[in-house]
Amino acid sequence: MAFLEPSVILMILAANAAVGVITESNAEKALEELRAYQADVATVLRNGCFSILPASELVPGDIVEVSVGCKIPADMRMIEMLSNQVRVDQAILTGESSSVEKELKITTTSNAVYQDKTNILFSGTVVVAGRARAIVVGVGPNTAMGSIRDSMLRTEDEATPLKKKLDEFGTFLAKVIAGICVLVWIVNIGHFRDPSHGGFLRGAIHYFKIAVALAVAAIPEGLPAVVTTCLALGTKRMARLNAIVRSLPSVETLGCTTVICSDKTGTLTTNMMSVAKVCVVESANRGPVVSEYSVSGTTYAPEGIIFDSTGMQLDFPAELSCLLHMAMCSALCNESTLQYNPDKGNYEKIGESTEVALRVLAEKVGLPGFDSLPSALNMLTKHERASYCNHYWEEQFRKIHVLEFSRDRKMMSVLCSRNQMHILFSKGAPESIIPRCSTILCNSDGSIVPLTADIRAELDSRFNSFAGKETLRCLALALKWMPSVQQSLSFDDEKDLTFIGLVGMLDPPRDEVKNAMLSCMTAGIRVIVVTGDNKSTAESLCRKIGAFDQLIDFSEHSYTASEFEELAPLQQTIALQRMALFTRVEPSHKRILVEALQHQNEVVAMTGDGVNDAPALKKADIGIAMGSGTAVAKSASDMVLADDNFASIVAAVAEGRAIYNNTKQFIRYMISSNIGEVVCIFVAAVLGIPDTLAPVQLLWVNLVTDGLPATAIGFNKQDSDVMRAKPRKVNEAVVSGWLFFRYLVIGAYVGLATVAGFIWWFVYSDGGPKLPYTELMNFYSCPTRETTYPCSIFDDRHPSTVSMTVLVVVEMFNALNNLSENQSLLVIPPWSNMWLVASIIITMLLHILILYVHPLSILFSVTPLSLADWTVVLYLSLPVIVIDEVLKFFSRNPIGFRFRLWFRRSDLLPKKDLHEK
C-alpha cells in the first residue's frame, strides 16, 4: 500500500505527458524538396562534342546548350543565341508574372537584382522560347537557388506569442509556488517537534510533504494538454475554412498578426495571363468608331463571357467579324498548348503564358454557325473542352510556313491555307504591327477599308490607354490574303497587312481579394504587397484591387528594393510604417523585410507560393503558402491555403483570435481553480488542522476533473466583434493585473469553501464527531493527552471526501463563469456551449464513480457521501457564480473603471519584446 499512491501519481503524470506530445511535420523537408527544381541532366560540351550528362557533374566553365522546355541545370551566362529570342519563366525564383527575355548584352546596372541580370540563366528556371548556349558560372550552393537553401538553413524558428507568454507565466508561477512552499514549511517549523510526528526530522519531512502537495496543487498539470487540445480543435475548424495548419502553435499566432506581407503573383493574382480587353474598329463609314470588349475569366479555364462597352453579354461573339478572325489568328499564330490535368483538376499551359491566353480567348469567342454552340461546348469533357475551338481552326487551316518571333521585328507570322485560299496571320507588339497595316477589318460588316491617319491616331490612343493607364500587356493581330501559289514567307511579306484588333492581357487579381484586404484593415491588420514585378505594374494591380483606395497616391507608400536599401536607417524605419507596396524584390529582400518588421515588434504573416518565397515564409511569425504553390513553399510554411484564396486568411485570423480568447478563458479557469487548491492547503497549514486533500486527490482534480471543462471552453463561440478589434499587443501579458486580481478573489473563495467543507464535517456534521474547533486545531497533540474521542477520527476519509467534492463542484460552477470573460450568464447562458455542459456532466459522473465504486474509492482515499453531505457541498459551491458576476459587472461598467485602472498600471507579469535578438 505504501507504493500505491506514488504509483497512481506517476501514472497520471505519464498520461499527462503523453497527451501533451505534439507531432509536427519536419520543416527541413523543404530543403529536400528544393531538389525537385534541379535539372537531372544537361547537354554539355565535352571533348569537342555535345553530350548528355548528369547535371550534378557540371563545373564552372562548362558550355551548356538549352532549348524550349529545358530546366536550367546551373546558373549560367549566355554566350550564344541559336534562335531569334530566348525567353525564360523564372517566376519560382523572382515571382515575375511574365516570362523574361534573355540577351547577350552585359548587365551594367549597379546593385542589380535577379530581374536585372538579363544575360544570366538561373538554375531551376525553365526555357519557354528559343535556344541558346551558356557558360556555367555557379553550381550547387553558389547558385541563386542555393542561396535560398542557405537562407532557410540560417533561419531559426521563432517562438509564438502565446508560447512566449505561457513561458513567462510559467516562470512567474514557478517563483510564486516556490516562495509559498518555502513559506509554508517555515511557518510550521514550530510544529516539527509535535509528538504526533515522532521527532524533529520526521516533522520536517511531514511538512516538506505538505509543501510538495502545495506545489502539486499550484501547478496546472493539465494545462499543456488542454492548450494542445484547444489548438487542435482550432486546426479542425480552420481546415473547414480551407486553411490547413501544419504547426499547432501557429493557429494562435494568426490572432495577433499585425502585418500581412502578401506575395502578388499567384496570391493576389491568379498567375495566369488572361485577355481582359479587346479593341476593334467597329466601322469607318461615320468616322473612326472604335469598340472595346471586356472578357471575363481569370484563369486558363476556357470559361468566360465577352461583354460589349455597355456591359451587355455577347451571346454569339463569333458572329462579329473581328472577333471571329481574332479567334482564328489566336489559334493559328500560336505555338503553345493548353491542356487539362485531371490529377490537379485544373487547366495547365505548355509554352508562353501570353500565347496560352490567346488560345483561351479563342475558346471564349467560340465557333460560328452553331446556335446551340455554348450549351454544346458545355457538354464536352474537360479534356476535350480545353482546346476544342483551337483544334477546329487547326483542322480548317493547314500551316504552310512560319516566321518566328525576332527581337528586331517584335512579331510572328504564319502562312495558312484553306480551300485553295492562302492567308497570312500575324501577331506582335502594336508598335510593330500597326505601322505595317494599310487596311482595317470592320467589325460590324466584315468590310475592309483603308487605315486612315485618324483611325491610326485613335488606335494609338487606345493602345497607350491599355499599356499606360491600365498597364495591360498588349498584342496586335493582323492578317493578309496571299497568292494561292505561295509556299513560304519572307520578312517583306509582313507589310500591307489588314488590322484585326488589339488585345490587352494581364495577370488578373482574384475576385475575392478586395473584400478580404478591406476586412484585414478593419481588423487593424496592415497589408504590404510584395512582388518581383516592376513598380508601375504592381501599383496598377493594387488600384484594380481597390484595397488601397484610401491612399491618394503611392509616392510614400511604394518602394522598390533598391530604393529602400538606399534610405538612411531612420528613413527606413518611417518607410516600413507607411509601406503598402514593395517591388523588384528577390528572395533575400523578402526575408530582410520580415526581419525589419519584426524588429518593430510587428507580428508578421507572409504569404507566398514560389521557391523564392520559402526563406521569408520560414522566417515569418506565420508563413502562409498557397495550395497550388511549390512543395518547397508549403514545407517552409506554417499554414497552407487549400483554395489559394487570400480571403481564407481573414477567416483564419478571426479563428485565431477566437482561439486566443478561449485560451485565456481556460487558463483563467484552471489557474483560479489551482489558486483555490493553494489557498486550501495554505490555510489548513496556517490553522494547524489536518491535511484537507491528499496529493493523489489534487492530481485527479487538476488533470481529470479540470481537464474536460477546460477543453470544452475551447468550443466557446466567437465574439460578434472579433474582427472589429485591433490586434492585441505582442507584449500583452496573458494575465493582466486586474485579471489576476479576479483570479485571486475566485481562487480565495474556492480554497476557503474547500476548507469550510472539511471543518464542517468535524464540527457540525451529524455523521461526524462534532468536535470543538480548538480540538481540531490541536489534533497533532491527540496521542499525548486524554480525549473524549479516538485519535483515529483524524484518519477518517469523510472530511477529505467532502473537501474534494466541494472543490470539484465549485470548479464546475466556475467553468460556467468562463463562457465569457466579461458577459453575464444571463446574456450568454450555459447552453450556448453544449460541449461545456456535457463535459460538466461527464466530470461529475467520473467523480461519483470514484466515490461509489469500491476499488476506485480506495485508490483515491475517498468514501461515499450522504444526501446531507451533498446539500452542504452545493451550499458552499454555488456562491462562486454570484462573486464572479459582481466582478464581471465591474469589468464591463464605468463604475469599476478607476478600480480596474489601479491594477492596469502595470501587468503583473514581466513584459518582454516578442522578437528578442
Side-chain angles (χ1 to χ4, degrees), residues 257-321:
T257 298
T258 58
V259 177
I260 296 177
C261 295
S262 175
D263 184 45
K264 179 185 80 71
T265 305
T267 305
L268 300 180
T269 68
T270 62
N271 195 22
M272 301 180 189
M273 292 297 284
S274 174
V275 174
K277 284 197 172 182
V278 173
C279 175
V280 298
V281 176
E282 192 67 28
S283 171
N285 296 331
R286 295 185 301 275
V289 179
V290 176
S291 295
E292 283 188 11
Y293 295 91
S294 57
V295 185
S296 70
T298 58
T299 68
Y300 292 141
E303 302 158 359
I305 299 170
I306 300 177
F307 301 91
D308 63 18
S309 56
T310 64
M312 293 293 292
Q313 176 181 338
L314 299 183
D315 292 327
F316 303 105
E319 292 180 352
L320 298 174
S321 185

Side-chain angles (χ1 to χ4, degrees), residues 282-285 321-322 440-449 498:
E282 192 67 28
S283 171
N285 296 331
S321 185
C322 285
I440 57 172
L441 179 66
C442 293
N443 193 44
S444 58
D445 55 9
S447 62
I448 296 175
V449 299
T498 299

Side-chain angles (χ1 to χ4, degrees), residues 738-798:
W738 166 248
L739 198 57
F740 194 75
F741 173 77
R742 289 174 59 178
Y743 286 4
L744 288 175
V745 173
I746 296 296
Y749 179 78
V750 171
L752 293 174
T754 304
V755 173
F758 186 85
I759 294 174
W760 168 83
W761 188 85
F762 277 107
V763 178
Y764 300 107
S765 174
D766 292 335
K770 293 192 175 182
L771 297 178
Y773 180 68
T774 53
E775 288 292 318
L776 184 60
M777 291 182 63
N778 294 300
F779 79 97
Y780 53 84
S781 61
C782 180
T784 63
R785 57 189 174 87
E786 291 187 7
T787 58
T788 58
Y789 56 87
C791 294
S792 59
I793 64 166
F794 296 114
D795 297 323
D796 197 305
R797 289 183 294 171
H798 270 93

Side-chain angles (χ1 to χ4, degrees), residues 63 122 239 325 473 492 522 647 663 675 718 727 735 737 838 862 876 884:
I63 305 296
F122 295 106
H325 286 82
R473 186 170 183 181
D492 292 335
T522 303
T663 301
I675 288 174
Q718 287 185 16
V735 184
V862 293
L876 290 172
D884 200 56

Side-chain angles (χ1 to χ4, degrees), residues 42-53 58 62-65 133:
T43 304
V44 192
L45 180 63
R46 291 280 174 89
N47 301 320
C49 63
F50 282 95
S51 56
I52 297 176
L53 297 175
L58 288 178
D62 273 337
I63 305 296
V64 177
E65 185 173 303
R133 288 174 183 166

Side-chain angles (χ1 to χ4, degrees), residues 713-734:
I713 288 171
F715 287 95
N716 285 350
K717 293 181 179 178
Q718 287 185 16
D719 293 337
S720 58
D721 60 347
V722 70
M723 284 302 286
R724 289 195 288 270
K726 301 300 180 187
R728 73 179 191 276
K729 295 179 181 178
V730 293
N731 57 357
E732 175 186 306
V734 175

Side-chain angles (χ1 to χ4, degrees), residues 409-410 428-436 460 463 467 474-476 502:
R409 290 163 43 247
K410 294 184 179 178
E431 61 267 29
S432 295
I433 294 286
I434 295 177
R436 298 171 190 264
D460 286 341
F463 164 56
C474 297
L475 287 177
L502 191 69

